[in-house]
Structures are given as C-alpha cells and as structure tokens.
C-alpha cells in the first residue's frame, strides 16, 4: 500500500468528485484519498497544510470551486476566496511537498467574442465575476510550479448524479413539463466520465505542466443539447428555444473549447 502513488481529491462531494470515486475503483494501483469540504476546506490554510504534510500525495486533483455564476455576482468575496486565494495557497503547498496539482477550470475564462473554439494559448478575457476569479486562480496556480496543471472543461455534467443541466432537463421532461431553453449560448458539453478518463491519462502520461482542455466534441447550444437529451431518452415534450434574458448575468455567447492539444 505504501508504494502506491497517492492521489488526493478535494471537493469530493461534487459531481466530478463523485465520478472520480467511481473511476477510482478501476485504478487500484493508486492510493486514493477523497476529501469533502467538511473534511478539508481549502479556504483554511492550516487544514490544507495538515493534510498535505500527512499524506504527501503525488497528485492533488482540485475539484473544489465556487461555481454558482449568478450568486458569484452577489458574493464576490466568497467566490474570490475559493477560486483565487485558496487555489493559490493550495498550489503553493503542493509545490512545497512536491505534489503535482491538477486544478480544474472553465470555459468561462473567455468572453465568447470569437467564432471558433478557444485553444489553450488564447488569452482569457472573462465577462463575469466567476470567470474573472477562475482566470486569476489559473494564473496563480501556474505561477507556483511549472509542474502544475490547469485543466479547463465546459458545460460539465454527470448523467447519474449531481445538479446539472442534463439531469434538470431529464427530470422536467420525465415529469411531462414543457421546456424553454436558450439558443444563443454555444459551447461543448462534457461528461464527467470523459473528464475522469482525461485526468487519469494526464496522471499516467505526466506531460509538461501547463494548461490543457478537456471538452466534448459536439459544439452546440443549450437548446441543441436539450434536444439531444430528449432524443437519447425517447422523451417528447414541448421544447421552445428562447434568447438569454437581458437581466441574466452576462455569459460568453460562444465558449467552445478546442481539444487539439495532445499528450
């Protein structure tokens, strides 16, 4: 057991954390440690240092984040604490203990002004506070160690658990509700299964540190994604395409991620 590389996962109660716990069963050659927020709050430096010193993990997958885009506009300090301050401290402590950090980020670091998928080399230009905190957190993580990774993903969903668009559409359609879905936001829906596979490959291949994109291959709107979900489950309910309400928090209109960078 002691010879197995240790992988620490933060934010284990989230949809990606839960998916990683399932995936871990297929990778018994690693020693996995999953920490929910109640067990390890990354905003508390003493807790982070205690756990890292005790475990000395080879890798830390940080899935902990403040992800509520709308609420982040109202709780700006809370979002910054998790996505910037805590991420930077975690990166610093990981570097100190020679732990490679894999920090999860988002397509929302981009403004959505271009009409082709964003690459790892494109400059972040977020349009809301959530995106700004994630972009700032990315930069601070990478500044702590050239071995650290930032993995951006987009429109993440688990089909079997968690609160996400996929399960929301499925729940409402199963209940026979009619649906209104925006058709003026375009991205690349990504399953947690795909992201888990990607993260494990990253750990096994250990390419050069830096930014990597993991996203689904299909570029579509939320409306198009909803149509696919209904079709996959053979559900027929009224589905209306609408525009994003002007009162809504500003979001990138096109945030598809390019996944051409290989390792």
């Amino acid at each position: 057991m002691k010879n197995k590389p240790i992988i620490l996962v933060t934010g284990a109660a989230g949809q990606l954390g839960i998916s990683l716990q399932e995936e871990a069963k297929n990778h018994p050659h690693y020693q996995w440690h999953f920490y929910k927020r109640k067990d390890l709050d990354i905003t508390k430096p003493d807790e982070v240092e205690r756990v890292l010193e005790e475990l000395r993990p080879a890798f830390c997958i940080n899935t902990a984040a403040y992800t509520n885009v709308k609420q982040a506009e109202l709780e700006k300090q809370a979002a910054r604490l998790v996505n910037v301050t805590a991420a930077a401290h975690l990166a610093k402590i990981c570097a100190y203990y020679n732990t490679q950090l894999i920090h999860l980020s988002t397509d929302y670091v981009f403004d959505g002004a271009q009409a082709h998928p964003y690459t790892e080399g494109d400059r972040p230009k977020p349009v809301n506070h959530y995106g700004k905190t994630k972009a700032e957190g990315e930069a601070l993580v990478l500044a702590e160690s050239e071995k650290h990774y930032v993995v951006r993903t987009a429109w993440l969903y688990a089909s079997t658990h968690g609160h996400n668009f996929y399960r929301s559409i499925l729940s409402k359609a199963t209940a026979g509700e009619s649906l209104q879905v925006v058709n003026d936001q375009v991205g690349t829906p990504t399953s947690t299964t795909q992201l888990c596979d990607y993260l494990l490959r990253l750990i096994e291949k250990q390419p050069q540190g830096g930014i990597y994109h993991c996203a689904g291959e299909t570029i579509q709107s939320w409306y198009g994604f909803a149509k696919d979900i209904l079709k996959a489950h053979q559900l027929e309910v009224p589905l209306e395409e609408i525009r994003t309400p002007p009162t809504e928090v500003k979001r990138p209109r096109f945030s598809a991620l390019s996944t051409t960078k290989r390792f």
Side-chain angles (χ1 to χ4, degrees):
M1 179 73 92
K2 289 184 179 180
N3 294 326
K4 293 182 179 182
I6 294 173
I7 299 176
L8 164 66
V9 179
T10 65
Q15 62 173 350
L16 178 57
I18 293 171
S19 293
L20 279 168
Q21 290 181 63
E22 288 297 313
E23 182 64 24
K25 298 172 184 177
N26 300 321
H27 297 270
H29 47 287
Y30 294 115
Q31 187 182 150
W32 296 84
H33 291 264
F34 293 93
Y35 281 79
K36 299 177 182 178
R37 183 180 178 182
K38 65 181 181 64
D39 304 314
L40 174 59
D41 185 341
I42 66 167
T43 67
K44 297 179 179 178
D46 290 346
E47 289 188 17
V48 173
E49 292 188 36
R50 174 182 55 80
V51 171
L52 266 292
E53 182 178 13
E54 177 185 340
L55 294 180
R56 306 290 176 107
F59 295 91
C60 173
I61 303 176
N62 180 35
T63 76
Y66 189 110
T67 59
N68 190 320
V69 178
K70 190 179 296 186
Q71 197 67 18
E73 299 296 325
L74 304 174
E75 299 181 348
K76 291 188 175 181
Q77 288 186 331
R80 177 168 293 279
L81 177 62
V82 179
N83 294 346
V84 181
T85 308
H89 181 259
L90 177 61
K92 183 176 183 178
I93 298 303
C94 281
Y96 180 81
Y97 287 108
N98 200 29
T99 297
Q100 281 187 271
L101 175 62
I102 302 174
H103 178 68
L104 274 297
S105 194
T106 172
D107 57 323
Y108 272 40
V109 300
F110 298 115
D111 63 4
Q114 70 183 35
H116 54 276
Y118 287 90
T119 70
E120 288 85 350
D122 286 326
R123 185 178 179 182
K125 192 177 179 183
V127 295
N128 55 46
H129 187 68
Y130 164 67
K132 289 174 183 176
T133 62
K134 291 302 289 183
E136 192 174 338
E138 285 185 0
L140 292 173
V141 164
L142 295 176
E144 287 296 342
S145 173
E146 61 182 15
K147 294 182 178 180
H148 287 344
Y149 301 108
V150 165
V151 177
R152 293 181 186 136
T153 192
W155 296 19
L156 191 64
Y157 70 92
S159 59
T160 59
H161 59 267
H163 301 285
N164 57 64
F165 181 83
Y166 187 104
R167 285 170 54 76
S168 177
I169 291 295
L170 191 57
S171 175
K172 290 177 181 179
T174 302
E177 295 182 32
S178 58
L179 304 169
Q180 288 186 321
V181 183
V182 296
N183 200 29
D184 57 355
Q185 294 176 38
V186 175
T188 36
T190 314
S191 73
T192 54
T193 301
Q194 178 186 351
L195 182 53
C196 285
D197 289 344
Y198 189 92
L199 296 176
L200 264 298
R201 189 154 48 86
L202 192 73
I203 287 172
E204 288 163 2
K205 298 290 186 181
Q206 295 186 41
Q208 181 179 354
I211 300 172
Y212 292 84
H213 286 177
C214 174
E217 294 182 359
T218 304
I219 299 174
Q220 59 187 170
S221 68
W222 287 115
Y223 172 78
F225 188 26
K227 284 180 66 176
D228 285 352
I229 295 168
L230 297 180
K231 183 178 180 180
H233 292 272
Q234 298 180 320
L235 292 168
E236 293 186 14
V237 295
L239 174 62
E240 179 186 358
E241 56 182 301
I242 60 172
R243 296 188 63 80
T244 302
T247 55
E248 180 60 88
V249 174
K250 193 172 183 181
R251 299 168 188 258
R253 288 291 184 256
F254 182 92
S255 60
L257 296 180
S258 168
T259 57
T260 55
K261 183 178 179 180
R262 304 295 182 188
F263 57 84

